[in-house]
Amino acid sequence: MPPEVLALFAEGATEEPTREAARYRGEDRATSGLLDRVASWPSADTPGGQFRLVPVDLGRDLETITRWMNDPAVAEFWELAGEQGVTEAHLRAQLDGDGRSAPCLGVLDGAAMSYWEIYRADLDPVARYYPARPHDTGLHLLIGGVGDRARGLGGMLLRAVSDLVLDHRPACARVIAEPDLRNTPSVAAFLAAGFRLSAEVELPGKRAALMIRDRALRDRM
């Protein structure tokens, strides 16, 4: 994955967390207690400007996200290129789901410039591939506009959003990332954001670098 297309997540899948997740069906997914109400998180001051996560609204955001997904640099890793319905189905699966994943736009100084997926990581099947802990949280990130790439924004935003997770999810002790191991620029961005390389893991479709940002070490890295 190039530096403009970054992915972060932690995942888990056991029957008990699935039953817990089911309690939240019917809630507004961005305000779900499974993710400590992402929609209420405040903006973050970053060296690049004021940054805020804004829950996706299909009527407002679908065209923009579809355009980003059809950028070849994004499509290579997200595999969501195609007509608008492809992106819509991907978003609806989260918006109509049980609240374990919240799709958001990243807005920097008032301009939408990135797409994020914030996960209740311990409730996702990828926990089968690493030693997941309760409340592990993760994110997927892509930077949309070509003009916003190769400016050092990746590491800066990864640090800002992982800080938001740790600040507003008190039960979460770790934020998890799983970039493709072959993508050294992506791994470097996570390292710059305070993540450590924990392990190499075989995931469906790729060998990944398991990156972890620990609450206990956040002020040291």
Side-chain angles (χ1 to χ4, degrees):
M1 187 179 306
E4 67 268 25
V5 186
L6 305 169
L8 264 173
F9 70 87
E11 300 173 333
T14 62
E15 292 183 2
E16 189 59 36
T18 300
R19 287 196 293 270
E20 177 187 353
R23 301 202 326 259
Y24 293 92
R25 287 192 177 94
E27 286 191 34
D28 176 7
R29 301 317 184 244
T31 62
S32 169
L34 281 176
L35 286 166
D36 293 286
R37 296 165 177 82
V38 173
S40 69
W41 295 358
S43 58
D45 290 318
T46 78
Q50 196 79 7
F51 180 81
R52 187 175 184 88
L53 291 170
V54 178
V56 163
D57 178 280
L58 282 178
R60 178 193 64 206
D61 304 324
L62 180 57
E63 182 177 350
T64 295
I65 298 172
T66 300
R67 183 174 70 253
W68 291 345
M69 291 297 184
N70 278 278
D71 183 316
V74 174
E76 181 179 0
F77 298 100
W78 284 77
E79 300 182 346
L80 290 172
E83 61 185 22
Q84 190 166 278
V86 175
T87 299
E88 181 175 1
H90 179 77
L91 295 171
R92 283 196 182 279
Q94 297 172 83
L95 295 170
D96 297 339
D98 57 20
R100 72 180 68 187
S101 179
C104 296
L105 287 186
V107 178
L108 186 64
D109 281 343
M113 47 72 64
S114 55
Y115 170 71
W116 298 77
E117 294 172 354
I118 294 88
Y119 286 83
R120 253 304 290 272
D122 55 322
L123 305 182
D124 192 282
V126 174
R128 297 168 183 163
Y129 301 91
Y130 84 99
R133 298 178 186 174
H135 296 281
D136 275 355
T137 304
L139 313 131
H140 290 149
L141 162 65
L142 73 84
I143 296 178
V146 174
D148 287 320
R149 300 173 188 170
R151 295 172 46 198
L153 291 178
M156 180 192 77
L157 294 179
L158 289 170
R159 183 178 290 273
V161 174
S162 56
D163 277 341
L164 285 172
V165 171
L166 295 172
D167 286 343
H168 299 285
R169 297 212 66 234
C172 171
R174 312 189 302 176
V175 182
I176 307 298
E178 44 71 52
D180 194 304
L181 187 64
R182 299 168 299 172
N183 189 349
T184 53
S186 182
V187 173
F190 287 113
L191 291 171
F195 289 76
R196 60 183 172 84
L197 175 59
S198 175
E200 298 179 11
V201 293
E202 288 290 345
L203 301 179
K206 69 177 180 182
R207 186 167 181 80
L210 178 64
M211 311 295 295
I212 296 177
R213 187 172 186 208
D214 302 275
R215 178 183 295 279
L217 300 176
R218 66 183 294 193
D219 295 327
R220 303 185 209 172
M221 301 177 68

